[in-house]
Amino acid sequence: KTQTASLCALLYAAGRLDPDAPFTEYLPEHVLAKENCKITVRDLATHSGGFDNAKPYATPDPVKYFERLYGKRPVRPRGEKFCYACSNFVYLGLIVEKLTGLDLDAAARKMLWGPLGMAHTTWNTVVGNPDAVEFPESTYRWCESDPPRRIGEHNDVCAHWAPRPMGNGSCFSTASDMQRFCTDLLRREKFPKAYYDLLLTPSFAGDGHRRSFGWEMTAPSSSFSDWTPTRFSDAAVCHSGWTGPAIAVDPRRDFA
């Protein structure tokens, strides 16, 4: 999700994406496009647009997958509360595809990973790669009949079934590549100022949560509050991955 957010931020910095425009301006296929949709791109990136984490699009049938994805409706008014929803970042990834004409792996390689020197990062599966580490073995499954995904496969069932990389996950990388990504957010050297400002500035605060564009920030009832023993400042951004990896950047503490 952090990589998806960065691609959106790069498009914003290039003047190609308006974070405060309705997301349906970029995805007119969505059912809400015909209903004067007010949910913005920023709402998706902060999980505050009103969608919940239901996954009616969880099907291996690619036609039904996108029909149900574009037919998903919010369950509450935008801005009312934070609710983590994978579909928010699936939509953001599709917006990146629309604006670049590339799939997410190709877009990230051209716009983000290439400039940062992240030569060992991919949005495609790495099962069978001799350098892929599988410890501990994943036990994630959608239902009892669904075999556990291995490390190196897309863990989220919707990303697993999707016909191409989706914006909610997952990328596969190395510690050194991810350190390049985080250190750049700290040093702000490779990309335009607008890129860093969007990712590191609070964009939503409510219901005890604080979020920047694509990242979690410290707040009283945020899951990030579990990290308070690290003494992160309130300028820090963090993302915790399902399979264990977690990354954080704190400009005030000079930490990445």
Side-chain angles (χ1 to χ4, degrees):
K1 291 183 176 70
T2 61
Q3 310 299 290
T4 302
S6 278
L7 292 175
C8 288
L10 288 167
L11 290 167
Y12 161 68
R16 300 176 63 189
L17 176 66
D18 180 357
D20 296 309
F23 83 97
T24 51
E25 284 191 12
Y26 302 100
L27 296 180
E29 304 94 327
H30 200 283
V31 65
L32 297 180
K34 301 175 182 177
E35 301 178 15
N36 193 27
C37 175
K38 301 295 186 183
I39 300 170
T40 67
V41 173
R42 190 187 304 268
D43 292 334
L44 297 180
T46 57
H47 295 292
S48 61
F51 291 106
D52 65 6
N53 204 26
K55 299 177 180 178
Y57 52 96
T59 170
D61 183 321
V63 174
K64 291 180 180 178
Y65 184 104
F66 287 102
E67 284 179 352
R68 295 173 184 178
L69 179 66
Y70 288 132
K72 184 179 177 180
R73 292 180 174 276
V75 299
R76 62 180 60 87
R78 66 173 290 264
E80 183 176 279
K81 65 179 294 186
F82 163 82
C83 182
Y84 195 94
C86 285
S87 56
N88 289 329
F89 278 73
V90 176
Y91 294 139
L92 291 177
L94 292 172
I95 290 172
V96 171
E97 288 187 342
K98 283 285 187 75
L99 293 178
T100 64
L102 302 169
D103 70 23
L104 290 178
D105 186 78
R109 205 168 298 283
K110 177 181 178 180
M111 299 166 58
L112 182 66
W113 302 336
L116 291 177
M118 295 170 64
H120 305 287
T121 303
T122 178
W123 227 300
N124 298 308
T125 59
V126 293
V127 173
N129 185 318
D131 295 325
V133 177
E134 189 168 2
F135 179 82
E137 183 178 355
S138 173
T139 57
Y140 181 87
R141 61 176 67 196
W142 183 248
C143 57
E144 286 301 314
S145 61
D146 180 33
R149 240 80 68 218
R150 295 170 55 193
I151 300 298
E153 294 183 282
H154 295 301
N155 233 356
D156 175 80
V157 69
C158 300
H160 180 69
W161 280 333
R164 59 186 186 274
M166 291 287 110
N168 67 310
S170 20
C171 292
F172 301 95
S173 190
T174 62
S176 57
D177 267 15
M178 290 307 295
Q179 189 63 48
R180 289 174 184 266
F181 171 66
C182 292
T183 299
D184 174 70
L185 287 170
L186 189 67
R187 300 286 177 248
R188 301 169 69 109
E189 294 175 345
K190 291 287 187 181
F191 303 117
K193 179 178 181 294
Y195 165 82
Y196 303 103
D197 287 348
L198 182 63
L199 296 177
L200 298 172
T201 302
S203 281
F204 172 80
D207 193 37
H209 295 269
R210 286 175 72 235
R211 307 283 304 190
S212 71
F213 192 97
W215 293 76
E216 190 168 11
M217 303 186 78
T218 48
S221 66
S222 165
S223 59
F224 190 13
S225 64
D226 295 339
W227 293 50
T228 52
T230 64
R231 302 184 185 276
F232 288 154
S233 76
D234 63 4
V237 296
C238 166
H239 185 76
S240 301
W242 174 265
T243 53
I247 54 178
V249 179
D250 189 343
R252 200 169 294 158
R253 298 281 191 267
D254 195 35
F255 173 87

